[in-house]
Amino acid sequence: MPLSSTVHPDLTALCREGRLKEALHILLTTHNPPEHYSTYFQLLQICLLKNALSQGKKIHCFIAHRRFAFATRITFHNKLIYMYVKCESLADARKVFDHMKERDCLSWNTIIAAYRRYGYPHEAVALFRRMQQTGLQPDQFTFASVLPACAKMGALEQGIDIHKSIMDRGILLDIVVATALVDMYAKCGSIDRARELFDKMPQRNAYSWNAMIAGYAQNGFAEKALETFNQMQIAGIKPDTATFASILPACAKMGALERGTYIHRSVKGSGILSDVVVATALVDMYAKCGSIDKARELFDKMTRRNVVSWNAMIAGYAQNGFFEKALETFNQMQLVGVKPDSATYASILPACAKMGALKQGMDIHQNIMEGGYLSEIMVGNALVDMYAKCGSLDKARDLFDKMPQKNVVSWNAMIAGYAQNGFCKDALKTFELMKHSGTYANIVSFACVLCACSHAGLVDEGCTYFNYMTDAYCIKPTIDHYVCMVDLLARAGYLEDTLKFIIKMPVKPVAVVWLCFLGACRSHMNIGLGVFTATLLIDLDPINAAPYVLLSNMYAEVGRWAEVQMVRRLMKDKGIKKIPGCSWIEAHKIVHVFCVADRSHPQTQEIYAKLDKLTWEMKAAGHFPDSRHLLNDVEEEEKELFLCHHSEKLAIAFGLLNTTPGTTIRVVKNLRVCAECHTATKFISKIVGREIVLRDVNRFHHFKQGECSCGDYW
Ligand code: ZN
Ligand code: ZN
């Protein structure tokens, strides 16, 4: 036929040039298609390179209908399977595989590797077992595919079985298989076996070193990971992207800034600083080591950033206490069009919670719903926690009740929320509900329950739960539980009993235990015990300002000014500074920060005018600032002025000026609210007819109509 001589050269040329569509058109329209395998082999090769699934299917169909002689060959089927795998159609690949009358090692290897690669390690291992049953001998490629599948599943026993088959086959010395074995043992947590094998390997490459380093890092042996990294460099093997992606998190975990910086130099030397994974790991390392400015500098220099990079920066700010910065970065991320994921939300929601930024938190809640992340338990827990910490307990409860799945973290968030907001009976009720739901209470649950008891002064209940925890749950109390108990007993006024309790504690009483006790000594005005405890504390933690402040406040309250002066001199001599009090308030989705006597805010004039007005109104209502709570023995009038300008008062005045009348004002403070501000806020809530929610470092105060939810017990 004359046609065949004209069509075939065209088809061959088109194949050579990779022009798939035209080649396919000729193939489907010609009356005389080529019968030789090589043309189809070439066509399928183009399909797999170009990821052209539909064209690949057409060619497959065409061949099947023509019943070409080569269509029964194993090599042809293997090529088809490979084409489908490359075109990401595992189902089609499997169909071809299942219809094969005969299979060789390559058929099995291709399908096993495909199942592993597409995230079905279980099926990969099952296929491997079937292959062994057929009597066909697996080769090094089979092992290199099935071992990572075991690693993924943490299937150590299956891994050991495969290791045995490898030894039987005598191909242990193959570097790829040996590395896969090291990796499998490391990922299954059998790190010693991994090391033993690694040490026996005659030539190790970068992959082998990476498997060992990653193994140590993932099993929590950060020090060992670093050591192996150094050995790798001594051995003259150049670290690559994967090495840095393992070693940097190890540094981050240990807070090893110096070594992290050293590795940073090594990254620069390797010329892979532009790699997004490595650069992100560096940002994360600097952030976790507390070097947040360095992290930001690197982050800003990155040419390409993905969601993980943004998450590292946001989490970094949040973990280092720069909550406003975390929110700012979260907003920037959305502006540049990067979609947040559940890890982003798990970092940003606690930042909102810390600042009491309820409006922002609600916006993020909306985002979460739109993104379809609400059903993720980690995100749900963070939301419940955020609402509870922002004092919006009804919202927290509503979300909590609607959660499709709850774990112990969800329950703890709800219990802690009730406890901190002063709804102690609800906290205990929720704890009982949790017990009935079948969720097992943990260390944190009991800490929340004891905290609830201590906030409400429920001494008997607290003691009962403490004993219940140790007896029924066999939980050894940690220092957190002891702090709660000391707080509970001491604040209720059982000072002598508390002292006995502290002395009998099986753990060493750390500074916070004594600080708790000292706080109680002050509120019960037991100066003798107070001086004793403060002296002890100053010895224990000489640079902490708190005992000095508590002690001098105690002296000031009884007018012993000489002692007040002495304590102040001591603080000055030792260079100890009080933590400046500051308060946060959110308005129009911006968080405003105020320090004591702050005059930096653009609305300063109005804020101070508002405060002056409030002070007059409070005086008219019968409230005069109680100047005993001030350190300085200055003139009465000056003291009064200073007290009026505590950060929480500035924030409240700002809130009154900038929020809709009638709405709740929410303020967060970094220290404990002072007695004067507490009383003043009660008056203010009545004068302006607004609910004021003030969260201090210990708990929530809901002020309403001249009363506080804490019942003045705080
Ligand atoms: Zn105050
Ligand atoms: Zn209160």
Side-chain angles (χ1 to χ4, degrees), residues 229 232-233 237-245 247-248 262-275 278 282:
F229 176 75
M232 175 182 187
Q233 289 193 304
I237 307 283
K238 260 186 88 133
D240 61 11
T241 308
T243 323
F244 293 123
I247 198 68
L248 285 166
Y262 164 72
I263 289 165
H264 185 182
R265 278 197 290 275
S266 178
V267 171
K268 274 190 199 155
S270 312
I272 46 175
L273 195 57
S274 59
D275 183 277
V278 174
L282 274 170

Side-chain angles (χ1 to χ4, degrees), residues 120-194:
Y120 303 97
H122 210 272
E123 189 56 25
V125 175
L127 281 162
F128 173 78
R129 293 255 167 269
R130 261 183 65 196
M131 177 187 185
Q132 283 188 310
Q133 282 160 11
T134 64
L136 206 61
Q137 290 290 353
D139 61 11
Q140 64 263 46
F141 299 106
T142 330
F143 292 126
S145 283
V146 75
L147 284 169
C150 293
K152 184 98 197 169
M153 293 191 294
L156 181 61
E157 278 176 28
Q158 309 220 38
I160 292 172
D161 258 11
I162 294 167
H163 188 178
K164 278 188 198 133
S165 334
I166 295 170
M167 293 210 287
D168 292 345
R169 300 269 295 124
I171 47 175
L172 180 56
L173 293 186
D174 181 282
I175 189 168
V176 179
V177 176
T179 300
L181 271 172
V182 168
D183 181 62
M184 181 277 293
Y185 279 121
K187 290 222 173 85
C188 291
S190 188
I191 196 79
D192 291 340
R193 264 191 233 227

Side-chain angles (χ1 to χ4, degrees), residues 158-454:
Q158 309 220 38
I160 292 172
D161 258 11
I162 294 167
H163 188 178
K164 278 188 198 133
S165 334
I166 295 170
M167 293 210 287
D168 292 345
R169 300 269 295 124
I171 47 175
L172 180 56
L173 293 186
D174 181 282
I175 189 168
V176 179
V177 176
T179 300
L181 271 172
V182 168
D183 181 62
M184 181 277 293
Y185 279 121
K187 290 222 173 85
C188 291
S190 188
I191 196 79
D192 291 340
R193 264 191 233 227
R195 184 68 202 213
E196 200 188 312
L197 256 168
F198 178 78
D199 285 338
K200 279 188 194 153
M201 285 173 74
Q203 6 103 261
R204 310 177 191 112
N205 63 14
Y207 292 107
S208 333
W209 285 96
N210 287 350
M212 204 57 239
I213 293 169
Y216 280 129
Q218 285 155 3
N219 282 283
F221 302 105
E223 192 70 56
K224 282 271 187 201
L226 274 167
E227 201 183 295
T228 313
F229 176 75
N230 288 338
Q231 289 167 353
M232 175 182 187
Q233 289 193 304
I234 292 164
I237 307 283
K238 260 186 88 133
D240 61 11
T241 308
T243 323
F244 293 123
S246 297
I247 198 68
L248 285 166
C251 295
K253 203 167 230 166
M254 292 199 304
L257 182 61
E258 243 173 74
R259 267 175 286 186
T261 313
Y262 164 72
I263 289 165
H264 185 182
R265 278 197 290 275
S266 178
V267 171
K268 274 190 199 155
S270 312
I272 46 175
L273 195 57
S274 59
D275 183 277
V276 68
V277 176
V278 174
T280 300
L282 274 170
V283 168
D284 185 58
M285 181 277 295
Y286 278 116
K288 289 223 173 83
C289 290
S291 189
I292 196 78
D293 291 339
K294 189 81 195 147
R296 183 69 201 215
E297 193 190 315
L298 257 169
F299 179 78
D300 285 337
K301 278 189 194 150
M302 282 171 80
T303 44
R304 209 164 68 82
R305 302 183 193 102
N306 59 19
V307 63
V308 187
S309 331
W310 285 95
N311 287 354
M313 201 61 238
I314 293 169
Y317 278 130
Q319 284 154 2
N320 283 282
F322 300 106
F323 308 120
E324 295 110 289
K325 280 276 184 197
L327 257 177
E328 200 184 295
T329 312
F330 175 74
N331 292 333
Q332 280 171 3
M333 169 186 186
Q334 290 185 297
L335 277 178
V336 299
V338 177
K339 281 228 175 331
D341 62 10
S342 47
T344 324
Y345 295 127
S347 295
I348 197 66
L349 285 168
C352 293
K354 278 270 156 54
M355 290 190 297
L358 181 63
K359 290 270 157 43
Q360 295 254 13
M362 284 165 80
D363 274 3
I364 292 168
H365 183 180
Q366 187 64 33
N367 259 342
I368 289 169
M369 289 204 291
E370 284 163 10
Y373 286 104
L374 195 57
S375 59
E376 283 191 31
I377 198 158
M378 178 170 81
V379 176
N381 288 348
L383 266 175
V384 169
D385 183 63
M386 182 278 292
Y387 278 116
K389 289 224 171 84
C390 288
S392 191
L393 272 172
D394 292 344
K395 200 87 185 114
R397 184 64 197 225
D398 187 48
L399 255 168
F400 175 78
D401 285 337
K402 284 183 186 148
M403 279 175 85
Q405 261 189 312
K406 295 182 187 79
N407 59 17
V408 67
V409 181
S410 336
W411 287 96
N412 289 350
M414 203 60 235
I415 298 169
Y418 280 129
Q420 286 159 348
N421 283 277
F423 301 98
C424 301
K425 288 263 154 47
D426 289 301
L428 300 184
K429 228 189 278 169
T430 312
F431 178 78
E432 293 301 322
L433 263 178
M434 168 180 170
K435 263 170 46 189
H436 291 301
S437 79
T439 306
Y440 208 71
N442 64 9
I443 286 188
V444 180
S445 323
F446 279 101
C448 298
V449 163
L450 292 178
C451 164
C453 293
S454 109

Side-chain angles (χ1 to χ4, degrees), residues 336-585:
V336 299
V338 177
K339 281 228 175 331
D341 62 10
S342 47
T344 324
Y345 295 127
S347 295
I348 197 66
L349 285 168
C352 293
K354 278 270 156 54
M355 290 190 297
L358 181 63
K359 290 270 157 43
Q360 295 254 13
M362 284 165 80
D363 274 3
I364 292 168
H365 183 180
Q366 187 64 33
N367 259 342
I368 289 169
M369 289 204 291
E370 284 163 10
Y373 286 104
L374 195 57
S375 59
E376 283 191 31
I377 198 158
M378 178 170 81
V379 176
N381 288 348
L383 266 175
V384 169
D385 183 63
M386 182 278 292
Y387 278 116
K389 289 224 171 84
C390 288
S392 191
L393 272 172
D394 292 344
K395 200 87 185 114
R397 184 64 197 225
D398 187 48
L399 255 168
F400 175 78
D401 285 337
K402 284 183 186 148
M403 279 175 85
Q405 261 189 312
K406 295 182 187 79
N407 59 17
V408 67
V409 181
S410 336
W411 287 96
N412 289 350
M414 203 60 235
I415 298 169
Y418 280 129
Q420 286 159 348
N421 283 277
F423 301 98
C424 301
K425 288 263 154 47
D426 289 301
L428 300 184
K429 228 189 278 169
T430 312
F431 178 78
E432 293 301 322
L433 263 178
M434 168 180 170
K435 263 170 46 189
H436 291 301
S437 79
T439 306
Y440 208 71
N442 64 9
I443 286 188
V444 180
S445 323
F446 279 101
C448 298
V449 163
L450 292 178
C451 164
C453 293
S454 109
H455 280 331
L458 303 171
V459 177
D460 291 343
E461 287 86 342
C463 293
T464 309
Y465 277 114
F466 187 79
N467 293 331
Y468 181 62
M469 169 179 83
T470 49
D471 298 345
Y473 279 72
C474 300
I475 292 176
K476 224 171 104 191
T478 66
I479 195 71
D480 289 341
H481 302 105
Y482 284 115
V483 171
C484 285
M485 287 308 285
V486 167
D487 193 48
L488 172 70
L489 295 169
R491 275 205 295 152
Y494 302 105
L495 292 179
E496 304 284 339
D497 290 318
T498 315
L499 201 56
K500 278 182 205 148
F501 181 85
I502 295 176
I503 291 162
K504 272 202 329 213
M505 271 165 44
V507 292
K508 195 170 169 264
V510 287
V512 62
V513 172
W514 290 114
L515 207 54
C516 231
F517 186 63
L518 180 57
C521 291
R522 188 208 154 183
S523 33
H524 292 285
M525 285 314 285
N526 188 327
I527 295 197
L529 271 179
V531 172
F532 160 78
T533 313
T535 318
L536 211 147
L537 257 170
I538 290 168
D539 270 354
L540 211 60
D541 186 5
I543 53 158
N544 188 349
Y548 296 93
V549 175
L550 275 165
L551 193 59
S552 74
N553 281 350
M554 268 171 102
Y555 283 133
E557 277 172 40
V558 291
R560 285 162 67 170
W561 298 111
E563 278 96 340
V564 172
Q565 284 293 351
M566 184 194 74
V567 175
R568 285 180 61 194
R569 226 181 358 255
L570 212 61
M571 277 180 85
K572 213 175 153 192
D573 290 349
K574 294 192 178 180
I576 293 158
K577 287 199 180 71
K578 279 171 76 175
I579 305 170
C582 68
S583 297
W584 293 272
I585 181 168

Side-chain angles (χ1 to χ4, degrees), residues 678 701 708 710 714:
H678 193 265
H701 302 268
C708 180
C710 73
W714 47 277

Side-chain angles (χ1 to χ4, degrees), residues 320-325 327 351-358 579-587 590-596 598 601 646-655 665-671 692-697:
N320 283 282
F322 300 106
F323 308 120
E324 295 110 289
K325 280 276 184 197
L327 257 177
C352 293
K354 278 270 156 54
M355 290 190 297
L358 181 63
I579 305 170
C582 68
S583 297
W584 293 272
I585 181 168
E586 189 190 35
I590 295 171
V591 177
H592 301 258
V593 190
F594 294 93
C595 298
V596 60
D598 198 334
H601 195 276
H646 270 180
S647 63
E648 56 268 55
K649 279 196 188 151
L650 294 173
I652 290 169
F654 170 85
I665 291 175
R666 293 168 198 278
V667 175
V668 176
K669 195 185 177 191
N670 68 336
L671 302 174
I692 300 168
V693 178
L694 173 64
R695 190 181 90 199
D696 72 10
V697 69

